Amino acid sequence: MSKELKTGIIVVLIVVTFVWGFNFLKGHDLLDGKARKFQVEYSKIGGLNRASSVTLNGLKVGQVNEIEFNTTPEKRGELIVTFSVENDFQFSRKSVVRIYSPNPLAASSLAIIPSYEGEMAVSGDTLEGKIEESLFTSIGERLDPLQDKLEKVIVRADTLFSGVNRILNDETIDGVNGSISNIAAIIADLRETVRKVNLLVVDNQDNLKVTLQNTKNITGNLSKISDSLTTVNINNIVKKAENAVDNFNNLSEKMNSNSGSIGKLINDEELYRNIEAATKELEELLRDLKLNPKRYVHFSLFGKKPKEYSPAENQLQELKELKEQIEELKQ
């Protein structure tokens, strides 16, 4: 073989090896004609890239070949992932292809969750895709609302502390300290008072016993009195009280009426005028008696016998008594 032919063969082998190696690194095995290709649509791929592994029940059966955007207007922006399966294991079109992350530091991979219902999947079919959130993504999604709440709490706490700082100035702190000191003094006074009360109780324990015993006796006596009162005929007492009230009412009616001497004396104006006129005449008589006693009484100091008691004196005495009686009636 000439040198030119050898050089050409070596160049062709190098090119074929380069193309095969390049495609192999991209996940395409040009020498394997049994590989089946499938497509999956995702709204996001979460770190999935070309040459990411495809597993089936944990066993690697293929790898990702292409990731491109969907060009249809209704699904614009979504991603189409093309992957190849080199294993001849059969699964149906209802199988689900899920994006998952084996560990937080590794890239995402595809996992086929096989289903065996319905028609079996063939090369070129489009399968249903799902995304399994990674640990950090799940934690981040749960921490986002917690972060918002925490920020609100921090803002409120800052406002609260600002208000507390405005309130707790030096004057307020001094007032609080004074109040605490006063409370401590009050507690000390209460303790001293309790101690004195305890001493008082101990010193007067005998007196307290006697007082309690007397109270008990008084209670017993009151109970006996109440028992004795229950045996008294209350009906007779009530009847007597009613009779007394009736008698008083009758007396009051007689006094208010014109019948009887008391009623006439109280209510008869003419009798009152006669008594008043008699009183005036009696006063005039007494006044005349004082001014002119010789008209009614004759006596001598020397040489004559005293005269016997005359009817005039008797009359005068009777007039005095009558006057007193009239005054009593007027009152």
Side-chain angles (χ1 to χ4, degrees), residues 290-312:
K290 290 180 180 179
L291 294 175
N292 303 301
K294 292 181 179 182
R295 294 180 181 179
Y296 305 96
V297 179
H298 300 278
F299 62 92
S300 176
L301 296 176
F302 303 100
K304 293 183 178 180
K305 293 181 180 181
K307 294 182 179 180
E308 294 180 358
Y309 183 77
S310 63

Side-chain angles (χ1 to χ4, degrees), residues 279-293 295-296 316 319-320 323:
T279 303
K280 289 181 179 180
E281 291 177 355
L282 183 60
E283 289 178 354
E284 291 176 356
L285 178 61
L286 291 175
R287 189 180 299 110
D288 185 62
L289 181 62
K290 290 180 180 179
L291 294 175
N292 303 301
R295 294 180 181 179
Y296 305 96
L316 181 60
L319 288 174
K320 288 182 179 179
K323 182 180 178 181

